[in-house]
Amino acid sequence: MASDLAQLVKQQADIVRIVGEYITLKKSGGQNYAGLCPFHGEKTASFSVHAVRQFYYCFGCHEGGDVFSIRAEDRECRLYRSR
């Protein structure tokens, strides 16, 4: 039952909007958005957010996750504020 609720929240959440609260995202084709990674300092965008599949991934530091994990990382104060 809890798993069903988690899936429902994931489906209805807008990960682009949620991640966009932490970093500036730019459309990078199709349903992908790119920006500077909030987990490590960088000058070239290696952080990618997929709007339809509702996940993010950094090709630089290999952090990835969903709407729940980005909020958990925020609570642990692991996110760089790049805004």
Side-chain angles (χ1 to χ4, degrees), residues 17-18 35 49 78-79:
R17 184 189 60 77
I18 292 169
V49 179
R78 285 187 16 121
L79 301 179

Side-chain angles (χ1 to χ4, degrees), residues 27-69:
K27 192 147 177 102
S28 65
Q31 294 101 15
N32 291 324
Y33 291 79
L36 299 177
C37 182
F39 299 106
H40 72 280
E42 65 180 3
K43 294 181 180 169
T44 305
S46 65
F47 189 80
S48 179
V49 179
H50 195 286
V52 173
R53 293 171 51 198
Q54 294 289 307
F55 74 90
Y56 63 87
Y57 183 77
C58 177
F59 292 94
C61 69
H62 308 289
E63 286 283 341
D66 58 19
V67 294
F68 297 117
S69 57

